[in-house]
């Protein structure tokens, strides 16, 4: 039996796996999900476009693979938490100021007999 190397692709043309197939298979029986041309070296996610292999990832996806975001250090995490708490304190102080003004206005109206 004469076997040849083929490359299985999914419905969108993305490379799945290399397989060996019967080399005597008639062309009209050749499965649509197989390609005989080897995927181009250096592709992150090989995609067959009916004529050739091309890169299936965007440049942004490639950049993320090449330069993954570094995990934040403990001081960075604590610093971020401190900033968030300070913002909450400022918001509460502002709300307190508004409530104090509302109470003062209410008391003034009460003493003036405006209610």
């Amino acid at each position: 039996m004469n076997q040849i190397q083929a490359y299985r692709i999914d419905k969108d043309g993305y490379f799945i796996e290399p397989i060996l197939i019967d080399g005597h298979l008639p062309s009209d029986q050749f499965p649509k999900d197989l390609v005989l041309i080897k995927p181009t070296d250096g592709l992150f996610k090989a995609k067959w476009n009916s004529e050739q292999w091309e890169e299936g990832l965007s440049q942004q996806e490639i950049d993320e693979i090449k330069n993954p975001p570094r995990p934040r250090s403990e001081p960075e995490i604590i610093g971020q938490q401190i900033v968030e708490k300070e913002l909450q304190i400022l918001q509460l102080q502002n709300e307190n100021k508004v409530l104090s003004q509302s109470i003062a206005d209410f008391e003034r109206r009460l003493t003036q007999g405006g209610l």
Side-chain angles (χ1 to χ4, degrees):
M1 179 186 231
N2 182 22
Q3 292 194 324
I4 58 173
Q5 182 72 58
Y7 304 90
R8 185 179 310 279
I9 58 173
D10 67 13
K11 64 180 178 57
D12 297 317
Y14 291 102
F15 171 77
I16 298 174
E17 64 185 348
I19 62 168
L20 293 174
I21 61 169
D22 181 2
H24 300 290
L25 196 63
S27 61
D28 62 336
Q29 293 180 3
F30 196 77
K32 300 271 188 235
D33 67 339
L34 295 181
V35 176
L36 293 177
I37 300 170
K38 181 182 181 210
T40 307
D41 289 337
L43 296 177
F44 287 90
K45 187 172 183 182
K47 182 177 182 182
W48 181 250
N49 69 12
S50 299
E51 295 178 14
Q52 65 183 4
W53 292 100
E54 62 184 17
E55 181 56 64
L57 295 181
S58 68
Q59 187 59 49
Q60 180 180 352
E61 292 169 315
I62 293 169
D63 291 345
E64 287 173 6
I65 290 170
K66 288 181 173 181
N67 304 309
R70 66 172 179 79
R72 294 190 314 166
S73 68
E74 188 172 343
E76 288 174 319
I77 293 169
I78 292 170
Q80 178 65 35
Q81 291 171 341
I82 290 170
V83 168
E84 289 170 2
K85 293 299 179 194
E86 288 175 346
L87 288 173
Q88 288 174 345
I89 290 168
L90 289 172
Q91 184 177 2
L92 289 171
Q93 287 173 338
N94 189 42
E95 290 172 5
N96 191 25
K97 198 180 292 185
V98 170
L99 285 173
S100 294
Q101 184 63 47
S102 295
I103 290 170
D105 290 346
F106 181 72
E107 288 175 344
R108 190 179 68 251
R109 286 194 309 236
L110 271 177
T111 57
Q112 293 175 354
L115 290 179

